[in-house]
Amino acid sequence: MTSPATFQRDKLELPFLKDVWYVAGWMSEFEGPGPFARTIADEPLVLYRKKDKTISALADRCAHRWAPLSRGRTEGDDIRCMYHGVRFRSDGTCAEVPGQSQAAPTLRVRSYSVVERHQLVWVWLGDPARADLHSIPDLSMLDQPSRRIYQGSLDYAAHYSLICDNLLDLSHIGFLHEKTAGQPVVELTDVPAGSCYMPGGSEAKLIDRGVRAESWISGPTARSVALPKRTPDGDLWTRTDFLVPGIFISVDRMYPSGTANRCGRLAPAPELESLSDTMSIQAVTPISKRESRYFYSFGPRASEVDVSEGAAMWRIVLATFAEDVKMIEAQQKVIDQHPGDQMGGIAADRGFTLYRNLMKRLSSEEAAAARDSASIDQ
Amino acid sequence: MTSPATFQRDKLELPFLKDVWYVAGWMSEFEGPGPFARTIADEPLVLYRKKDKTISALADRCAHRWAPLSRGRTEGDDIRCMYHGVRFRSDGTCAEVPGQSQAAPTLRVRSYSVVERHQLVWVWLGDPARADLHSIPDLSMLDQPSRRIYQGSLDYAAHYSLICDNLLDLSHIGFLHEKTAGQPVVELTDVPAGSCYMPGGSEAKLIDRGVRAESWISGPTARSVALPKRTPDGDLWTRTDFLVPGIFISVDRMYPSGTANRCGRLAPAPELESLSDTMSIQAVTPISKRESRYFYSFGPRASEVDVSEGAAMWRIVLATFAEDVKMIEAQQKVIDQHPGDQMGGIAADRGFTLYRNLMKRLSSEEAAAARDSASIDQ
Amino acid sequence: MTSPATFQRDKLELPFLKDVWYVAGWMSEFEGPGPFARTIADEPLVLYRKKDKTISALADRCAHRWAPLSRGRTEGDDIRCMYHGVRFRSDGTCAEVPGQSQAAPTLRVRSYSVVERHQLVWVWLGDPARADLHSIPDLSMLDQPSRRIYQGSLDYAAHYSLICDNLLDLSHIGFLHEKTAGQPVVELTDVPAGSCYMPGGSEAKLIDRGVRAESWISGPTARSVALPKRTPDGDLWTRTDFLVPGIFISVDRMYPSGTANRCGRLAPAPELESLSDTMSIQAVTPISKRESRYFYSFGPRASEVDVSEGAAMWRIVLATFAEDVKMIEAQQKVIDQHPGDQMGGIAADRGFTLYRNLMKRLSSEEAAAARDSASIDQ
């Protein structure tokens, strides 16, 4: 157990990285040509589909008078501002200025790298030349037809750091969600509170571009909203990864009793057959300093839950997230009422602390890379 | 009559004292164990009842991640934060951190002195060591079973100073409340406007920790919404005290004609029997710089008004307070539109001026005491 | 064609002049004695009618405690604050302080010059001594009984500069209003987009205290929502004047084919008979930095449109203005998200650029005049 740290309130606020892929939305939100308005990390964007259906992303303001291009009209591969009619190409260059014989080369809108993968639309906020597709996490569980997948999103009036903090310590499930995802209630006399049946932040360890918590739990506390009802008792293996810039991947797998020990209490091999298998993939995208969008999905195996049970599980998941919103928005208000004061630290903060340090390092690297680019440009 | 003063807008803003008892609410608002959230003078508090029903008050933020404790759960004499489960005692010390073998001594929540008296819950914002129960005003009229007492509260979007200012010059009743508490309308040709039938600020004098206005009025203008209908004409004695940090106590008593002169136009002896007797006790509690809570009560003698007449009087009182809210919130907006300008002074401002100087002195004394404590601590 | 300029965002913001007549409202808004609250260029005003029905304007705050006088009561030629009852004359001097034998000469409210003309109420924000009735534009078309005149107003959550900018370049009609005032849609292949059939800012020229754009258009594109349906094809002459501090006057007149050339493509003589004649007079009044009130009217000749056609035209006009509001409020939000950045310029900005320079010059002259007054006062 690490020694608890002491946080200053503003140190909770993670930076908005640029050189990362943010989730702009579920692919299903971007049907038709658009345009679609989305704001990511204080950058208002307009997304639209070209004739070949590929998606483009530009800054959401006309270079002329700053009308939002998302109130514009797609025209073939271009987008036209519908205030005074200036038209732009998907690379942000100006194609036409009404009333002028030539387009204006100085009228230029910033363009962004954007890609569709794993049912999600991803935007790279930094220099497109540095956009690295390999840094999109493997979320191929979202593409598995064998799963019954539910997906949605909701907005928080809070800094995205508070949502990351929430997802990096699931020990809160036993308290905040005692009547939803925390069911059946764990008797505090039997199990150390805070470790509950879900991995808490105190077990967290650093992995590549993220933080992992995993554990084997056996016996009567090894139950979870993530398990189909008919799942027999056994050894429950849970793992949650939280990856830059805010991607949460969790799996809950039940195995026959004895499996945990046979695996030396380490991660089971992927090919090892499980009694049940449920995943949840979530993503936190900052909109502004006090607005965030939270994308979530939940996917048991279709062979283990029918439509009716799946819908019932999903209702509990949604109720759970509603509790998070209420608590975190209230927490944000308290934080904003007390600038400058210091928070106290406990062991369960370890997950968030590791992640915060990782983000701090990446932010420094980004700043250094920007300085290097600037000196090369000279 | 004092010479009218000239105010600067910001000088209207009374300080938020710490070493005073604020009204947190009517006792009837705090039924059951709680927790209950209240903010006083920019300090968010959580109040809850212990097993023995006594009431406790803590800062409304968990020392861990600043989730509001008012979203928590009382457990015996303690309160548990229902985000990550940290539990605190009523003195603010930490009783349990889930997942840790020991509670964290550095996790500490500020505790406040709190007491129930005269149907009200009072909180001392300053150092509990200095909490002085004798400075709670005698509001025992609220405890008199012989009165038919109505009580309520409402919130203002205004600095509490403007409400104090309102209560320190009741001459406004003839104008702002001409159709409610100002009934029957006083003919301006007969009576000097502004002195009306209620004491104006121009008669105010300093008393211990407050300002008093009292007067005898006789004849047809000696009527008031505070008088039961069947009260015969006579000599009306009214007195209003406005005490630190915002307690208003008014009495309206009708005596047989001639009493005023027999008393030398001074206050009648308490034991002197009156024809009618109505009291109103009110309290102004700052929430923030632009939010205030206003508590009020109204109590004629039960022997003088039946249920039906009492309810009718109460409706007029409520309509009167609604007029105050509209006017004072509009006044606050005008003030906020004109930073830096100067207000003009009139004779009726005397009450508020006396009170403002008293508050200024108390604020200086508090600052001096804080400096003394700081130097002793060194 | 002038070379396109580059704007800084904050340079778009026109100053709030003082020594000008602002439109406070349509005369029809000021029926009865009042009082009426209006805010112009950050100055809250109260307007009311005296016994002789002439209109007065004072600052909307009592000199005592800054309650708004617009919550007061007119009494003959005076207005009484209905908080504590102080009464003021229409010149802003104090007529009565309740409870004092004398009024207070230091209690004084600022008074403004105000006049009714051309169905509108005009307020001069500067020193009344400089109020110059000749600077009210000739809007006598609003008084013509031969016209079927519609009028209205709406509020913008935007700086008034953005509305001026809109009215100084009508080339936006072909894009923003393509489905309303832009009907019938001009084929972009036939006509240079942005010049459309309405004069764009690129043709603008400076006139006395304003900017004018006028043009002759012939053939199938010479159609406009402003033309009665039965107007035959011909030569359409349109002129729009935009005058300080935000008055827009437009006329659309159809003449028999060949008239344009007979006039040498210059303005037709006023007495030349037209086939149709429609005017629109509009006014933009700043309320605050992010609120503006937009007054508008529309008047075809009654002999050319019956009640039913007039109402149909008016509905299109209203739908057109609703599109402006949506776009300009969205534009304001984008601008506020990007302080410091630079806008790009195009040829059509010429009208606004001329107007902005005119406003800048008038603002400098006002500042110089204020300095002169100050040195004379010494």
Side-chain angles (χ1 to χ4, degrees):
Chain A
M1 188 180 290
T2 49
S3 80
T6 295
F7 294 95
Q8 265 194 297
R9 182 192 72 83
D10 57 345
K11 290 197 184 145
L12 267 186
E13 291 203 355
L14 300 170
F16 289 175
L17 296 181
K18 295 283 184 190
D19 287 352
V20 288
W21 291 100
Y22 284 104
V23 171
W26 292 103
M27 277 167 55
S28 57
E29 299 172 38
F30 300 88
E31 284 181 4
F36 307 97
R38 295 291 184 277
T39 297
I40 300 181
D42 284 330
E43 302 205 20
L45 308 174
V46 57
L47 290 84
Y48 70 95
R49 290 192 187 274
K50 292 195 284 191
K51 277 178 295 186
D52 66 1
K53 312 286 187 199
T54 60
I55 201 159
S56 298
L58 296 175
D60 190 17
R61 54 172 166 148
C62 176
H64 170 222
R65 277 292 199 263
W66 296 10
L69 290 173
S70 56
R71 290 194 166 268
R73 178 170 70 191
T74 60
E75 295 189 3
D77 287 355
D78 299 344
I79 186 165
R80 184 186 295 277
C81 175
M82 286 305 280
Y83 193 174
H84 301 93
V86 181
R87 185 160 55 87
F88 297 93
R89 299 184 191 93
S90 67
D91 65 358
T93 56
C94 178
E96 177 196 350
V97 177
Q100 292 183 199
S101 49
Q102 294 179 258
T106 57
L107 289 186
R108 187 165 189 140
V109 174
R110 193 174 161 200
S111 72
Y112 294 85
S113 289
V114 54
V115 69
E116 297 178 87
R117 189 168 290 187
H118 305 315
Q119 316 304 322
L120 292 160
V121 174
W122 304 78
V123 172
W124 177 269
L125 282 195
D127 184 343
R130 285 197 296 270
D132 170 16
L133 283 170
H134 293 100
S135 69
I136 296 181
D138 175 7
L139 306 183
S140 53
M141 285 192 294
L142 282 167
D143 304 317
Q144 292 171 342
S146 61
R147 293 190 184 272
R148 198 179 293 289
I149 293 182
Y150 301 84
Q151 65 188 44
S153 70
L154 55 81
D155 284 1
Y156 273 84
H159 197 279
Y160 87 114
S161 303
L162 298 183
I163 313 167
C164 298
D165 191 14
N166 173 284
L167 293 169
L168 279 155
D169 177 16
L170 298 188
S171 75
H172 77 270
I173 291 176
F175 298 101
L176 181 54
H177 307 308
E178 62 170 353
K179 286 167 187 158
T180 51
Q183 285 290 351
V185 176
V186 174
E187 290 298 321
L188 291 171
T189 47
D190 296 325
V191 180
S195 66
C196 198
Y197 61 96
M198 292 292 270
S202 52
E203 293 100 51
K205 66 182 178 190
L206 204 62
I207 57 172
D208 181 40
R209 294 180 70 81
V211 168
R212 170 170 292 179
E214 56 189 350
S215 63
W216 281 103
I217 315 171
S218 305
T221 63
R223 304 302 306 181
S224 150
V225 69
L227 298 179
K229 265 187 211 153
R230 63 176 201 191
T231 311
D233 280 353
D235 290 353
L236 177 68
W237 183 68
T238 70
R239 186 171 73 190
T240 63
D241 288 350
F242 194 82
L243 306 176
V244 172
I247 314 299
F248 174 87
I249 309 165
S250 94
V251 291
D252 286 75
R253 286 191 197 132
M254 186 68 87
Y255 293 91
S257 291
T259 306
N261 287 339
R262 274 194 297 279
C263 294
R265 306 202 76 79
L266 299 176
E271 64 276 12
L272 191 64
E273 203 176 325
S274 59
L275 301 171
S276 78
D277 177 325
T278 300
M279 71 89 192
S280 179
I281 285 174
Q282 303 170 22
V284 189
T285 299
I287 297 173
S288 67
K289 294 252 182 284
R290 287 296 175 271
E291 295 166 291
S292 306
R293 188 154 291 174
Y294 178 45
F295 301 95
Y296 46 83
S297 68
F298 179 75
R301 283 200 291 228
S303 58
E304 291 164 31
V305 295
D306 60 15
V307 169
S308 162
E309 185 178 352
M313 293 168 95
W314 183 233
R315 277 197 299 274
I316 294 174
V317 170
L318 294 181
T320 302
F321 293 159
E323 289 167 339
D324 284 317
V325 171
K326 266 192 159 177
M327 181 59 86
I328 288 174
E329 292 189 346
Q331 182 194 14
Q332 180 70 72
K333 279 183 195 163
V334 176
I335 288 172
D336 288 340
Q337 281 167 343
H338 299 86
D341 284 11
Q342 269 197 341
M343 291 185 172
I346 65 174
D349 302 332
R350 176 179 162 80
F352 182 73
T353 306
L354 290 171
Y355 186 73
R356 189 168 54 88
N357 291 340
L358 168 61
M359 286 291 285
K360 204 173 157 182
R361 178 170 62 75
L362 292 174
S363 181
S364 299
E365 287 173 12
E366 242 186 55
R371 279 193 303 273
D372 290 352
S373 303
S375 64
I376 289 166
D377 289 351
Q378 284 179 340
Chain B
M1 188 180 289
T2 49
S3 79
T6 296
F7 294 94
Q8 265 194 297
R9 182 193 73 82
D10 58 345
K11 290 197 182 143
L12 266 187
E13 290 204 356
L14 301 170
F16 290 175
L17 296 181
K18 294 284 184 191
D19 287 352
V20 288
W21 291 99
Y22 284 105
V23 171
W26 292 103
M27 279 167 54
S28 56
E29 300 171 37
F30 301 88
E31 283 181 5
F36 307 97
R38 294 291 184 279
T39 297
I40 300 181
D42 284 330
E43 302 205 20
L45 309 174
V46 58
L47 289 84
Y48 70 95
R49 290 190 187 276
K50 293 195 283 192
K51 277 178 294 188
D52 65 2
K53 312 288 187 200
T54 60
I55 201 159
S56 298
L58 296 175
D60 190 16
R61 55 171 166 148
C62 177
H64 171 222
R65 278 290 198 262
W66 296 12
L69 290 172
S70 55
R71 291 194 166 269
R73 178 170 69 192
T74 60
E75 295 189 4
D77 287 355
D78 299 345
I79 186 164
R80 185 186 294 277
C81 176
M82 285 305 280
Y83 192 173
H84 301 93
V86 180
R87 185 160 54 87
F88 297 93
R89 299 183 192 93
S90 67
D91 66 357
T93 57
C94 179
E96 178 195 350
V97 177
Q100 291 184 201
S101 49
Q102 296 179 256
T106 57
L107 288 186
R108 187 166 189 140
V109 174
R110 190 172 164 203
S111 72
Y112 294 84
S113 288
V114 54
V115 69
E116 297 178 87
R117 188 167 292 187
H118 306 315
Q119 317 304 324
L120 291 160
V121 174
W122 303 79
V123 172
W124 178 270
L125 282 196
D127 184 344
R130 284 197 296 271
D132 170 17
L133 283 170
H134 293 100
S135 68
I136 295 181
D138 176 7
L139 306 183
S140 54
M141 285 191 295
L142 282 166
D143 305 316
Q144 292 171 341
S146 61
R147 294 191 183 272
R148 197 178 295 289
I149 293 182
Y150 301 84
Q151 65 188 45
S153 69
L154 55 80
D155 284 1
Y156 274 83
H159 197 280
Y160 88 114
S161 303
L162 299 183
I163 313 168
C164 298
D165 191 13
N166 173 283
L167 294 169
L168 280 154
D169 176 16
L170 298 188
S171 75
H172 77 270
I173 292 178
F175 298 100
L176 181 54
H177 308 307
E178 61 171 354
K179 286 167 187 158
T180 52
Q183 286 288 352
V185 177
V186 175
E187 290 298 320
L188 292 170
T189 47
D190 297 323
V191 181
S195 66
C196 199
Y197 61 95
M198 292 292 270
S202 52
E203 293 98 52
K205 65 182 180 191
L206 204 61
I207 57 173
D208 183 38
R209 296 179 70 79
V211 168
R212 169 170 293 179
E214 56 190 350
S215 63
W216 282 102
I217 315 171
S218 306
T221 62
R223 305 300 308 180
S224 150
V225 69
L227 299 178
K229 264 187 213 154
R230 64 176 199 192
T231 311
D233 281 353
D235 290 352
L236 176 68
W237 183 69
T238 71
R239 186 170 75 189
T240 63
D241 287 350
F242 194 82
L243 306 176
V244 172
I247 314 299
F248 173 87
I249 310 165
S250 93
V251 291
D252 287 75
R253 285 189 197 134
M254 186 68 87
Y255 293 91
S257 291
T259 306
N261 287 338
R262 274 194 298 279
C263 294
R265 306 203 75 80
L266 299 175
E271 63 276 12
L272 191 64
E273 203 177 323
S274 59
L275 302 170
S276 79
D277 177 326
T278 300
M279 72 89 193
S280 178
I281 285 173
Q282 304 170 21
V284 189
T285 299
I287 297 173
S288 67
K289 294 255 183 281
R290 287 295 175 272
E291 295 167 291
S292 305
R293 187 155 291 175
Y294 177 47
F295 302 96
Y296 47 83
S297 68
F298 179 75
R301 284 199 294 228
S303 59
E304 292 164 30
V305 294
D306 61 16
V307 170
S308 162
E309 184 178 353
M313 291 168 96
W314 183 233
R315 276 197 300 274
I316 294 175
V317 169
L318 294 181
T320 301
F321 292 160
E323 288 167 338
D324 284 317
V325 172
K326 267 193 158 176
M327 181 60 85
I328 288 173
E329 293 189 345
Q331 181 193 14
Q332 181 71 72
K333 281 183 194 163
V334 176
I335 287 172
D336 288 341
Q337 281 167 342
H338 299 86
D341 284 11
Q342 270 198 341
M343 290 185 172
I346 64 174
D349 302 333
R350 177 179 162 80
F352 181 72
T353 306
L354 289 171
Y355 187 72
R356 188 167 56 86
N357 291 339
L358 168 60
M359 287 290 285
K360 202 173 160 184
R361 178 170 63 77
L362 293 173
S363 181
S364 299
E365 287 174 12
E366 242 186 56
R371 278 194 303 274
D372 289 353
S373 303
S375 66
I376 287 165
D377 289 351
Q378 284 179 340
Chain C
M1 188 180 287
T2 50
S3 79
T6 296
F7 294 94
Q8 265 194 295
R9 183 193 72 81
D10 57 347
K11 289 197 184 145
L12 265 187
E13 292 204 354
L14 301 170
F16 289 175
L17 296 181
K18 294 285 183 189
D19 287 351
V20 288
W21 291 100
Y22 284 105
V23 171
W26 292 104
M27 278 167 54
S28 56
E29 300 172 37
F30 301 88
E31 283 180 4
F36 307 97
R38 294 291 184 278
T39 297
I40 300 181
D42 283 331
E43 302 204 21
L45 309 175
V46 57
L47 289 84
Y48 70 96
R49 291 190 187 275
K50 292 195 283 192
K51 276 178 294 185
D52 64 3
K53 311 289 186 198
T54 60
I55 201 160
S56 298
L58 296 175
D60 190 16
R61 56 172 166 149
C62 176
H64 171 223
R65 277 292 198 262
W66 295 11
L69 290 173
S70 55
R71 290 194 166 270
R73 179 169 69 192
T74 60
E75 296 189 3
D77 287 355
D78 299 345
I79 186 165
R80 184 187 295 277
C81 176
M82 285 305 281
Y83 193 175
H84 301 93
V86 180
R87 183 160 56 87
F88 297 93
R89 299 184 192 92
S90 66
D91 66 357
T93 57
C94 179
E96 178 196 350
V97 177
Q100 291 184 201
S101 48
Q102 295 179 258
T106 58
L107 289 186
R108 186 163 191 144
V109 175
R110 190 173 163 203
S111 72
Y112 294 83
S113 289
V114 54
V115 69
E116 298 177 87
R117 188 168 291 188
H118 306 316
Q119 316 304 323
L120 293 160
V121 174
W122 304 81
V123 172
W124 177 271
L125 282 195
D127 184 343
R130 285 197 295 271
D132 171 16
L133 283 171
H134 293 98
S135 68
I136 296 182
D138 176 7
L139 307 182
S140 53
M141 285 191 296
L142 281 167
D143 304 317
Q144 292 171 340
S146 61
R147 293 190 184 273
R148 197 177 294 289
I149 293 181
Y150 301 84
Q151 65 187 45
S153 70
L154 55 81
D155 284 1
Y156 274 83
H159 197 280
Y160 87 113
S161 303
L162 299 183
I163 312 168
C164 298
D165 191 13
N166 173 284
L167 293 170
L168 280 155
D169 176 16
L170 298 189
S171 75
H172 76 271
I173 291 178
F175 298 100
L176 181 54
H177 307 308
E178 61 170 354
K179 286 167 187 157
T180 50
Q183 286 289 351
V185 176
V186 175
E187 290 297 320
L188 292 171
T189 46
D190 297 324
V191 180
S195 67
C196 199
Y197 60 95
M198 293 291 270
S202 51
E203 294 100 50
K205 65 183 180 191
L206 203 62
I207 56 172
D208 181 39
R209 296 180 70 79
V211 167
R212 170 170 293 177
E214 55 190 351
S215 63
W216 281 103
I217 316 171
S218 305
T221 62
R223 304 301 307 180
S224 150
V225 68
L227 298 179
K229 265 188 213 154
R230 65 176 199 191
T231 310
D233 281 354
D235 290 352
L236 177 67
W237 183 69
T238 70
R239 186 170 75 190
T240 63
D241 288 348
F242 194 82
L243 305 176
V244 172
I247 313 300
F248 173 87
I249 309 164
S250 93
V251 290
D252 287 74
R253 285 189 198 135
M254 186 69 88
Y255 292 90
S257 290
T259 306
N261 287 339
R262 273 193 298 279
C263 295
R265 305 203 76 81
L266 299 176
E271 64 276 11
L272 191 65
E273 203 177 324
S274 59
L275 302 170
S276 78
D277 176 324
T278 300
M279 72 89 193
S280 179
I281 285 173
Q282 304 171 21
V284 189
T285 299
I287 297 173
S288 68
K289 294 254 183 281
R290 287 296 176 270
E291 295 167 291
S292 306
R293 187 153 292 173
Y294 178 46
F295 301 95
Y296 46 84
S297 66
F298 179 76
R301 283 199 293 226
S303 59
E304 292 164 31
V305 295
D306 61 15
V307 170
S308 163
E309 184 178 353
M313 293 168 95
W314 183 234
R315 277 197 301 273
I316 294 175
V317 170
L318 294 180
T320 300
F321 293 160
E323 290 167 338
D324 286 316
V325 171
K326 268 193 158 176
M327 180 61 84
I328 288 174
E329 292 188 346
Q331 180 194 15
Q332 181 70 71
K333 281 184 194 161
V334 176
I335 288 173
D336 287 341
Q337 281 167 344
H338 299 88
D341 284 10
Q342 271 198 339
M343 290 186 172
I346 64 173
D349 301 334
R350 175 179 162 82
F352 182 71
T353 306
L354 289 172
Y355 187 73
R356 189 168 54 88
N357 291 340
L358 168 62
M359 287 291 285
K360 204 174 159 184
R361 178 169 62 76
L362 292 174
S363 182
S364 299
E365 287 174 12
E366 241 185 57
R371 278 194 303 273
D372 289 352
S373 302
S375 65
I376 288 166
D377 289 351
Q378 284 179 342

